[in-house]
């Protein structure tokens, strides 16, 4: 493993049931992540025989430092992720949905986001299905035909200001290990889904003085948003009665509208540059 890769966060991919999406996720990881980066595929007894074969083939050929674990029986999404995060100790961990496709440079940009501001506990990249972090329109799922490399090149041209989000979003999020430990980790006794457990963790981190920030210099594609388990949103409402109003006000007010417009402008400007630029990888 190169020194540069060893300094990057651990990537944790909770394996899902969609084999084609997992295959695409692993291919995007290989294409957009520095060789030698640590990737843990954690399976809560979800993968079928085809997905297991995909993982085994990937482990043989990936330039990344991959590892795969599988539980004999499922303990639930939030509990499984809490178990995996606790195994990582104080390390910063980038949790990537197994149906997401990170654009080149995503991990370096997320790590740089945390490094720029020690008060940032979670860094969430743009996504076409990222709720508060969605692009090109807030709160909408958009089908994008843009190449991931072009999205990455446009993102890194944005000023790195890292505005606040109401909470981190589950398509991809880098969690500062020391902040997570201080907040007590996830709460799988209250929530079954990663979707709700991440919101709860984000709000507890915010209450302790940390920030949940947008990493506007990174992009991760996804075909759909995450979803809560039955009863999770009711429990969120009891613990955090102001949450739904806070999220609704953010979506309606769209304080990131200007930043979204800047990203669109940067993407359009790529077409006015040299046609040879698409032959090169985006700047780190």
């Amino acid at each position: 493993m190169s020194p540069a890769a060893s300094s990057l966060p651990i990537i944790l991919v909770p394996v899902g049931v969609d084999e084609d999406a997992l295959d695409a996720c692993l291919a995007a990881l290989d294409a957009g992540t520095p060789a030698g980066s640590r990737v843990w595929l954690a399976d809560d007894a979800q993968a079928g025989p085809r997905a297991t074969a995909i993982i085994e083939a990937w482990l043989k050929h990936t330039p990344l430092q991959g590892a795969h674990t599988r539980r004999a029986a499922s303990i639930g999404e939030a509990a499984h992720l809490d178990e995996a995060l606790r195994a990582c100790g104080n390390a910063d961990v980038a949790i990537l949905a197994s149906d997401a496709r990170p654009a080149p440079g995503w991990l370096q940009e997320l790590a740089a986001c945390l490094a720029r501001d020690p008060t940032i506990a979670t860094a969430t990249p743009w996504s076409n299905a990222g709720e508060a972090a969605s692009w090109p329109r807030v709160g909408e799922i958009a089908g994008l035909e843009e190449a991931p490399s072009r999205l990455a090149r446009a993102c890194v041209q944005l000023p790195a200001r890292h505005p606040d989000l109401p909470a981190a979003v589950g398509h991809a999020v880098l969690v500062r290990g020391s902040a997570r430990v201080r907040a007590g980790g996830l709460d799988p006794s209250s929530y079954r889904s990663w979707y709700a457990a991440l919101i709860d963790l984000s709000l507890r981190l915010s209450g302790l003085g940390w920030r949940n920030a947008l990493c506007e210099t990174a992009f991760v594609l996804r075909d759909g948003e995450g979803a809560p388990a039955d009863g999770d949103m009711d429990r969120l409402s009891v613990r955090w009665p102001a949450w739904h109003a806070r999220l609704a006000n953010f979506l309606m007010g769209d304080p990131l509208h200007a930043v979204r417009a800047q990203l669109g402008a940067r993407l359009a400007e790529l077409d006015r540059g040299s046609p040879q630029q698409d032959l090169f990888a985006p700047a780190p």
Side-chain angles (χ1 to χ4, degrees), residues 109-284:
E109 292 300 324
L110 287 174
C113 179
L114 256 60
R116 289 187 188 104
D117 185 348
T119 70
I120 294 176
T122 69
T124 301
W126 292 116
S127 179
N128 60 302
E131 297 188 352
S134 282
W135 185 89
R137 292 172 297 278
V138 66
E140 294 185 18
I141 301 172
L144 295 184
E145 297 182 358
E146 295 287 349
S149 60
R150 284 174 53 80
L151 290 167
R153 285 173 50 208
C155 284
V156 296
Q157 295 179 27
L158 295 176
R161 297 185 177 127
H162 309 318
D164 287 335
L165 292 172
V169 190
H171 55 280
V173 56
L174 175 57
V175 181
R176 191 185 296 275
S178 58
R180 175 185 54 78
V181 171
R182 175 75 182 278
L186 302 183
D187 181 5
S189 64
S190 299
Y191 308 101
R192 293 171 51 208
S193 66
W194 167 233
Y195 179 93
L198 178 58
I199 294 172
D200 175 71
L201 175 64
S202 298
L203 296 176
R204 284 187 281 121
L205 288 166
S206 180
L208 290 169
W210 276 293
R211 296 177 55 220
N212 301 292
L214 172 71
C215 180
E216 63 269 75
T217 56
F219 205 104
V220 171
L221 293 136
R222 196 180 190 188
D223 291 334
E225 296 173 344
D230 289 344
D232 274 356
M233 300 314 287
D234 293 334
R235 284 184 282 273
L236 265 178
S237 295
V238 171
R239 180 174 292 178
W240 306 101
W243 163 246
H244 291 292
R246 178 181 176 185
L247 178 60
N249 288 334
F250 187 95
L251 295 176
M252 290 186 293
D254 191 12
L256 302 180
H257 177 78
V259 187
R260 287 185 173 82
Q262 288 176 12
L263 178 53
R266 295 292 189 276
L267 196 61
E269 287 169 4
L270 294 179
D271 296 325
R272 294 194 284 271
S274 166
Q276 295 298 318
Q277 289 178 349
D278 280 335
L279 298 178
F280 301 95

Side-chain angles (χ1 to χ4, degrees), residues 3-162:
S6 64
S7 67
L8 289 171
I10 299 166
I11 302 166
L12 175 60
V13 181
V15 176
V17 298
D18 189 329
E19 297 124 346
D20 292 334
L22 174 64
D23 197 16
C25 176
L26 297 179
L29 272 173
D30 283 349
T33 312
S37 297
R38 297 163 293 174
V39 182
W40 179 6
L41 305 182
D43 183 2
D44 185 35
Q46 299 297 303
R50 180 168 174 255
T52 300
I54 288 170
I55 292 170
E56 290 174 351
W58 178 78
L59 288 171
K60 291 178 181 177
H61 301 290
T62 180
L64 308 177
Q65 184 182 350
H68 174 222
T69 58
R70 177 182 170 86
R71 290 190 58 85
S74 174
I75 58 173
E77 189 176 53
H80 183 232
L81 269 170
D82 184 60
E83 180 181 74
L85 288 169
R86 290 183 185 279
C88 294
N90 287 336
D92 299 341
V93 180
I95 302 115
L96 177 70
S98 63
D99 58 352
R101 303 180 302 281
W106 72 288
L107 187 62
Q108 300 99 305
E109 292 300 324
L110 287 174
C113 179
L114 256 60
R116 289 187 188 104
D117 185 348
T119 70
I120 294 176
T122 69
T124 301
W126 292 116
S127 179
N128 60 302
E131 297 188 352
S134 282
W135 185 89
R137 292 172 297 278
V138 66
E140 294 185 18
I141 301 172
L144 295 184
E145 297 182 358
E146 295 287 349
S149 60
R150 284 174 53 80
L151 290 167
R153 285 173 50 208
C155 284
V156 296
Q157 295 179 27
L158 295 176
R161 297 185 177 127
H162 309 318

